[in-house]
């Protein structure tokens, strides 16, 4: 993995038991947590420790070149988070639409090795998911990608897609996930590396007459060159926690 430099300052309804046990809005494993818990961890500990002593602790990685850290979720066996070192509230933050936005989806995908090493079991790449929760479903006010395992029922649903014939347009999944309709769009590895995906998400949410603050997004793998971007638009009363497609117990591993 690239060693970061120090030149920046920190500035169908799938209501199945395997999904029902999840808590889709927590980020640090502690109920009633301070909404700035994650920001304080990275800004007051991880980045200063790296700058002063060349250590990542309590993060697993600090990359100031690409402006993110990787943090192991407290009290969670396998899950990791990617957090920007810039103060970005969440999926709804307009900063994410900027052309200079770091390719966070790609960096989060690259960080999948932390998950697989922690599992110490075989896990297919197509059984890894990255997710972002809506503002009204999360506990933290710092953007964080959940890097975790895909829920078995969602894998079964995605296996039913004819991904080879998916065009460049958005397509609705045949079945809902926890009463949410998800739309999928095929993304190439090249696009993942070079394109900011947040404007694509914004365009889809706007087309569906939704708001980013109430929407969830996810990325899953199809093969070494292809991914699926998933988006679901919620409401002020019921936002979408895309984390609902994940299984933090990683039952897909064997």
């Amino acid at each position: 993995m690239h060693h970061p430099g120090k030149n920046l300052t920190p500035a169908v309804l799938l209501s199945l038991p395997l999904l029902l046990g999840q808590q889709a809005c927590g980020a640090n494993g502690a109920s009633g947590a301070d909404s700035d818990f994650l920001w304080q961890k990275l800004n007051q500990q991880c980045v200063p420790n790296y700058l002063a002593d060349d250590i990542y602790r309590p993060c697993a990685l600090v990359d100031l070149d690409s402006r993110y850290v990787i943090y192991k979720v407290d009290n969670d066996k396998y899950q990791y988070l990617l957090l920007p070192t810039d103060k970005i509230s969440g999926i709804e933050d307009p900063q994410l639409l900027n052309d200079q936005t770091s390719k966070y989806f790609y960096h989060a995908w690259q960080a999948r090795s932390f998950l697989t090493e922690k599992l110490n079991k075989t896990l297919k790449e197509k059984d890894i998911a990255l997710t972002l929760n809506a503002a009204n479903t999360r506990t933290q006010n710092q953007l964080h990608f959940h890097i975790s395992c895909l829920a078995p029922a969602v894998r079964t649903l995605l296996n039913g897609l004819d991904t080879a014939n998916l065009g460049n347009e958005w397509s609705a999944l045949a079945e809902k996930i926890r009463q949410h309709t998800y739309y999928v769009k095929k993304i190439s590895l090249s696009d993942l590396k070079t394109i900011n995906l947040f404007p694509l998400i914004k365009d889809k949410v706007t087309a569906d007459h939704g708001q980013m603050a109430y929407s969830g997004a996810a990325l899953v793998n199809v093969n070494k060159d292809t991914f699926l971007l998933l988006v679901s638009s919620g409401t002020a009363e019921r936002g979408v926690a895309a984390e609902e497609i994940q299984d933090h117990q990683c039952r897909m591993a064997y």
Side-chain angles (χ1 to χ4, degrees):
M1 184 172 289
H2 165 66
H3 185 80
K6 296 185 179 180
N7 56 332
L8 294 178
T9 56
V12 183
L13 178 63
L14 290 177
S15 56
L16 301 178
L18 52 86
L19 286 177
L20 291 176
Q22 299 203 118
Q23 184 163 353
C25 43
N28 64 353
S31 60
D34 179 354
S35 61
D36 286 328
F37 173 87
L38 290 175
W39 171 248
Q40 291 166 358
K41 281 282 186 183
L42 78 90
N43 192 53
Q44 297 178 14
Q45 298 181 47
C46 299
V47 171
N49 286 345
Y50 177 64
L51 292 171
D53 299 317
D54 202 31
I55 59 173
Y56 301 139
R57 200 166 55 239
C59 286
L61 177 71
V62 176
D63 188 334
L64 296 184
D65 288 338
S66 298
R67 306 197 304 278
Y68 71 89
V69 304
I70 302 297
Y71 182 74
K72 173 69 176 58
V73 176
D74 299 342
N75 305 318
D76 196 312
K77 201 168 183 180
Y78 307 119
Q79 184 190 176
Y80 282 83
L81 305 175
L82 178 143
L83 302 104
T85 55
D86 299 313
K87 191 72 180 79
I88 298 175
S89 61
I91 189 172
E92 75 286 355
D93 197 314
Q95 294 180 78
L96 293 171
L97 304 177
N98 192 298
D99 288 341
Q100 277 67 54
T101 296
S102 186
K103 305 304 184 291
Y104 293 125
F105 275 97
Y106 176 68
H107 297 312
W109 176 246
Q110 291 300 97
R112 68 195 183 279
S113 59
F114 289 100
L115 169 66
T116 56
E117 288 170 11
K118 180 66 70 173
L119 270 168
N120 197 29
K121 295 179 181 178
T122 300
L123 180 68
K124 295 178 180 178
E125 291 197 333
K126 70 176 186 177
D127 295 331
I128 298 171
L130 314 176
T131 64
L132 292 169
N133 294 337
N136 56 344
T137 67
R138 65 178 189 246
T139 64
Q140 295 294 298
N141 290 327
Q142 176 66 7
L143 180 73
H144 52 284
F145 287 76
H146 297 263
I147 306 167
S148 191
C149 297
L150 192 64
V154 180
R155 168 44 57 206
T156 299
L157 177 59
L158 294 180
N159 283 344
L161 287 175
D162 183 7
T163 54
N165 292 316
L166 271 182
N168 293 322
E169 302 301 317
W170 291 95
S171 302
L173 289 182
E175 301 176 49
K176 292 182 177 181
I177 300 173
R178 280 194 168 186
Q179 300 180 351
H180 295 136
T181 298
Y182 279 82
Y183 291 85
V184 299
K185 181 179 178 66
K186 193 155 62 172
I187 299 291
S188 70
L189 177 59
S190 176
D191 286 345
L192 185 64
K193 289 179 178 178
T194 60
I195 295 176
N196 178 9
L197 300 186
F198 284 98
L200 295 179
I201 297 170
K202 171 73 171 177
D203 289 347
K204 176 57 180 167
V205 170
T206 300
D208 291 341
H209 307 290
Q211 294 187 36
M212 288 287 278
Y214 310 141
S215 302
L219 187 83
V220 297
N221 179 254
V222 174
N223 55 49
K224 65 184 181 65
D225 296 315
T226 309
F227 296 80
L228 292 176
L229 182 63
L230 289 80
V231 173
S232 182
S233 298
T235 64
E237 294 74 28
R238 192 168 188 269
V240 177
E243 191 183 351
E244 66 194 4
I245 77 168
Q246 291 173 316
D247 168 28
H248 298 319
Q249 299 303 310
C250 287
R251 279 163 283 193
M252 294 299 292
Y254 60 92

